[in-house]
């Protein structure tokens, strides 16, 4: 199949906020206990953090990590997780039916962030608790001292404030499964008051209003409009969450889910701007896509109720999942002007790119690689390429372009990167890329993942699914020709020579 891509510096969508390469750690399953924290592991450091996990988190180059939930946060007393460990209570976590020992809490997480070269995106409990506990947490974490909560932090051994800048106002508050679920109006009022008080405590922070728990939520659209009308002036971002699945085994439709994702993002932008218009304000609300991934492989996996850190949501990802993850990242970059934060949910063990064995090894899931590539190379500005390629119809969608592509331009380092997924299972593609005004730019690295069966996975024993390097694409004037294989993930990196 022949495809043409045209690229120019003027095709700028927006500056890429590095926080779109964020991730998520929830007190859920083995994300914390057995994931980032396992004091008895041979590779644990003096704080009990698994150093093999930290190394892989650094490879992913994750600039922010959302914490501590998720559904968990809606029943969480943050005070349970600070101070001397021997005094911390064990609690029943109603979100996931397990027992939370609270041996890992806020300060441990902040220490881990420092070691993993990342920042915390903190979520407050607006399910069972309210504005008061939220502002107390801001004071505990961010105030310099000489106040009750800041002094309590100091007495716990943390003299300096943590300075957390980004705060989620609860989690999925529209969902019936959420502890303390609310109507849009009730949530809008609470989030507005909480955000006001949190910002009065520390006026350098930004806050994220909960949008719908997914595009399929029955109140989607209306929820955003109603809660935004109340909280618009006091918040900065609205959240989006979306997980995809391929239970039907329909790969063409699965890979085409990004068309639905486009619609979802576009709809939320429209609702934000509708409220902006109604308010006749200059303030724009941007998007925080703070939960996204593929999630279904671990459905119905049994676990023991009220046990401690059981295996939950431990999806093992296959090759087609990696292609969808690549395509979802391309979709986020296509909206770089409005999506400023995104969190791959989650980071370790629980629907995650990194997988560990308690007391044992670690491996990179298939989805690790496209995320690693885009996070490391997708910097600078996002450029909207004109892609002219054949399209396909499938059960759920029509006119799906076989080639999904985006380019990023890092002007400072004079690097241009083209990312492309070929969704065709049968045909390779000759990508003829017209580099227009990128004179003097030449390819220096061409990475692909291809040649795998859609069901191929990695494991502790073997990691067959991984990227490889190709011969460099040919240049003829400013036309670069890259041949990509059927069913493939591709990254072409160019630099000015
Ligand atoms: O990431 C797993 C769960 O998915 C989160 O706890 C919740 O917010 C969402 O429903």
């Amino acid at each position: 199949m022949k495809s043409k891509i045209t690229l120019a510096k003027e095709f700028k969508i927006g500056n890429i906020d590095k926080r779109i390469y964020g991730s998520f750690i929830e007190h859920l399953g083995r994300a914390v206990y057995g994931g980032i924290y396992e004091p008895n592991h041979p590779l644990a450091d003096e704080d009990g953090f698994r150093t093999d996990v930290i190394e892989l988190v650094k490879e992913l180059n994750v600039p922010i990590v959302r914490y501590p939930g998720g559904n968990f946060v809606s029943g969480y007393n943050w005070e349970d997780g600070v101070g001397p460990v021997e005094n911390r209570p064990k609690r029943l976590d109603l979100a996931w039916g397990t027992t939370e020992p609270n041996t890992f809490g806020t300060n441990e997480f902040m220490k881990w962030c420092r070691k993993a070269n990342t920042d915390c995106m903190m979520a407050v409990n607006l399910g069972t608790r309210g504005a008061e506990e939220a502002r107390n947490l801001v004071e505990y974490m961010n105030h310099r001292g000489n106040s009750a909560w800041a002094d309590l932090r100091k007495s716990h051994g943390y003299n300096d404030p943590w300075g957390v800048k980004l705060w989620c106002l609860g989690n999925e508050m529209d969902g019936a499964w959420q502890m303390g679920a609310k109507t849009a109006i009730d949530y809008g009022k609470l989030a507005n008051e909480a955000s006001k008080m949190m910002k009065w405590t520390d006026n350098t922070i930004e806050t994220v209003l909960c949008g719908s728990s997914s595009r399929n939520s029955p109140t989607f659209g209306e929820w955003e409009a109603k809660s935004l009308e109340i909280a618009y002036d006091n918040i900065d971002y609205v959240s989006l969450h979306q997980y995809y699945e391929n239970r039907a085994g329909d790969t063409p439709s699965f890979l085409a889910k990004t068309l639905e994702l486009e619609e979802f993002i576009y709809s939320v932008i429209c609702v934000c701007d509708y409220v902006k218009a109604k308010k006749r304000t200059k303030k724009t609300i941007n998007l925080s896509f703070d939960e996204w991934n593929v999630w279904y492989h671990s459905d119905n996996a049994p676990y023991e109720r009220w046990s401690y850190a059981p295996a939950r949501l431990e999806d093992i990802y296959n090759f087609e999942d990696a292609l969808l993850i690549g395509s979802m990242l391309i979709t986020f970059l296509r909206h770089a002007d409005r999506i400023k934060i995104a969190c791959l949910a989650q980071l370790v063990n629980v629907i995650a790119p990194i997988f560990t064995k308690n007391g044992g090894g670690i491996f990179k899931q298939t989805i690790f690689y496209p995320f690693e590539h885009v996070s490391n190379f997708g910097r600078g500005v996002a450029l909207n390429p004109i892609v002219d390629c054949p399209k396909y119809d499938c059960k759920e969608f029509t006119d799906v372009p076989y080639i999904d592509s985006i380019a990023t331009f890092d002007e400072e380092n004079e690097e241009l990167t083209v990312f492309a997924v070929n969704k065709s299972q049968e045909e390779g593609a000759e990508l003829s890329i017209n580099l227009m005004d990128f004179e003097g730019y030449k390819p220096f690295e061409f990475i692909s993942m291809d040649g795998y069966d859609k069901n191929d996975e990695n494991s502790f024993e073997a990691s067959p699914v991984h990227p490889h390097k190709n011969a460099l694409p040919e240049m003829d004037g400013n036309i670069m020709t890259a041949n990509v294989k059927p069913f493939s993930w591709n990254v072409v990196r160019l630099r000015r020579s």
Side-chain angles (χ1 to χ4, degrees):
M1 133 175 81
K2 288 204 187 286
S3 304
K4 270 194 197 159
I5 296 182
T6 309
L7 268 178
K9 289 181 184 156
E10 304 83 73
F11 295 177
K12 180 174 167 179
I13 300 167
N15 292 329
I16 299 164
D17 189 319
K18 67 175 183 181
R19 296 174 304 172
I20 67 168
Y21 305 127
S23 189
F24 179 27
I25 286 284
E26 177 168 3
H27 281 251
L28 157 57
R30 297 189 308 118
V32 172
Y33 306 106
I36 61 174
Y37 179 71
E38 196 182 344
N40 295 326
H41 193 276
L43 295 175
D45 67 8
E46 65 287 359
D47 291 314
F49 304 150
R50 278 187 70 152
T51 51
D52 53 348
V53 172
I54 288 182
E55 263 170 45
L56 294 197
V57 172
K58 284 184 179 167
E59 281 183 32
L60 286 177
N61 202 2
V62 175
I64 51 162
V65 180
R66 185 167 172 252
Y67 175 84
N71 298 339
F72 171 81
V73 80
S74 296
Y76 184 50
N77 299 337
W78 67 263
E79 303 88 333
D80 291 346
V82 297
V85 172
E86 58 280 12
N87 298 340
R88 299 188 194 173
K90 292 190 179 69
R91 299 269 185 207
L92 297 187
D93 167 26
L94 305 188
W96 300 105
T98 55
T99 302
E100 171 55 51
N102 281 309
T103 49
F104 184 100
T106 302
N107 293 310
E108 288 79 21
F109 184 69
M110 292 310 301
K111 265 184 155 179
W112 179 84
C113 284
R114 296 290 188 267
K115 289 188 173 178
N117 283 349
T118 191
D119 278 332
C120 168
M121 176 187 196
M122 183 59 79
V124 296
N125 175 355
L126 293 189
T128 60
R129 307 188 93 196
E132 171 75 358
E133 294 86 352
R135 66 111 167 200
N136 292 347
L137 180 57
V138 176
E139 183 182 317
Y140 179 89
M141 295 194 76
N142 285 5
H143 196 60
R144 60 187 176 279
N146 205 20
S147 74
W149 292 108
D151 289 344
L152 183 66
R153 180 196 70 237
K154 289 184 170 195
S155 77
H156 292 157
Y158 302 95
N159 199 49
D160 296 332
W162 291 113
V164 172
K165 296 292 173 216
L166 196 54
W167 294 77
C168 300
L169 301 164
N171 176 70
E172 296 189 351
M173 299 308 306
D174 62 327
W177 58 90
Q178 203 70 213
M179 287 176 267
K182 296 182 172 47
T183 63
I185 304 269
D186 288 348
Y187 171 67
K189 285 182 185 164
L190 177 58
N192 186 47
E193 292 307 314
S195 190
K196 242 168 58 182
M197 288 163 59
M198 291 160 74
K199 287 183 172 186
W200 286 343
T201 306
D202 178 353
N203 63 12
T204 68
I205 67 168
E206 292 186 310
T207 56
V208 182
L209 186 80
C210 287
S212 298
S213 47
S214 85
R215 183 174 180 259
N216 305 329
S217 157
T219 52
F220 170 60
E222 192 189 335
W223 170 275
E224 281 79 358
K226 285 185 172 164
S227 57
L228 268 172
E229 282 191 25
I230 300 166
Y232 199 97
D233 294 340
N234 289 309
I235 59 105
D236 305 282
Y237 307 94
V238 66
S239 76
L240 296 83
H241 289 183
Q242 191 69 53
Y243 296 97
Y244 289 120
E245 42 86 7
N246 188 14
R247 287 187 183 85
D250 175 358
T251 298
S253 296
F254 178 61
L255 291 186
K257 294 282 183 195
T258 46
L259 267 59
E260 189 183 296
L261 181 64
E262 281 282 354
E263 284 294 318
F264 181 26
I265 294 166
Y266 183 63
S267 313
V268 177
I269 292 172
C270 289
V271 177
C272 289
D273 292 350
Y274 155 77
V275 180
K276 177 179 180 174
K278 270 189 90 174
K279 288 189 171 287
R280 296 164 185 81
T281 173
K282 287 199 167 65
K283 179 178 176 181
T284 300
I285 298 295
N286 284 318
L287 275 48
S288 170
F289 213 120
D290 47 45
E291 284 189 37
W292 67 275
N293 203 344
V294 172
W295 173 12
Y296 75 102
H297 296 287
S298 60
D299 280 2
N300 307 321
Y303 74 101
E304 192 190 332
R305 201 156 166 78
W306 308 129
S307 60
Y308 154 78
R312 304 282 331 260
L313 281 58
E314 297 203 346
D315 280 40
I316 299 299
Y317 290 108
N318 60 27
F319 181 58
E320 70 175 12
D321 298 330
L323 295 185
L324 185 68
I325 292 305
S327 213
M328 289 179 81
L329 285 161
I330 288 173
T331 310
F332 294 156
L333 285 169
R334 211 173 275 133
H335 293 279
D337 55 335
R338 295 301 291 271
I339 302 182
K340 299 294 168 190
I341 301 158
C343 303
L344 175 67
Q346 301 191 6
L347 186 56
V348 187
N349 293 334
V350 173
I351 44 175
I354 300 171
F355 203 82
T356 70
K357 191 178 271 171
N358 290 357
I362 191 164
F363 73 88
K364 297 176 182 177
Q365 296 242 36
T366 60
I367 62 169
F368 184 98
Y369 298 105
F371 188 93
E372 180 194 19
H373 295 152
V374 184
S375 167
N376 281 282
F377 309 139
R379 300 289 172 136
V381 295
L383 301 176
N384 198 7
I386 298 171
V387 181
D388 181 8
C389 71
K391 296 180 176 175
Y392 68 93
D393 294 341
C394 53
K395 231 184 199 164
E396 293 183 38
F397 302 90
T398 52
D399 286 333
V400 185
Y402 277 115
I403 303 296
D404 196 2
S405 181
I406 194 91
T408 61
F409 178 40
D410 179 349
E411 197 164 9
E412 206 184 320
N413 295 310
E414 299 193 312
E415 275 193 24
L416 173 68
T417 307
V418 181
F419 300 98
V421 174
N422 178 5
K423 298 184 180 181
S424 168
Q425 289 177 263
E426 290 82 30
E427 273 192 72
E430 183 188 283
L431 302 184
S432 163
I433 306 175
N434 186 340
L435 295 171
M436 303 279 284
D437 55 354
F438 283 101
E439 279 148 25
Y441 277 77
K442 300 259 158 28
F444 67 93
E445 194 171 36
F446 179 13
I447 310 168
S448 298
M449 289 173 78
D450 56 44
Y452 300 112
D453 183 85
K454 62 184 179 152
N455 294 316
D456 283 354
E457 303 166 346
N458 293 338
S459 68
F460 290 110
E461 288 70 42
S463 289
V465 185
H466 55 261
H468 63 86
K469 288 195 184 172
N470 302 304
L472 295 180
E474 298 204 340
M475 293 290 300
D476 182 4
N478 60 352
I479 308 284
M480 177 176 76
T481 305
N483 288 304
V484 303
K485 298 270 164 48
F487 213 50
S488 60
W489 163 251
N490 306 279
V491 184
V492 185
R493 303 178 66 202
L494 302 95
R495 140 178 336 136
R496 211 158 105 109
S497 54

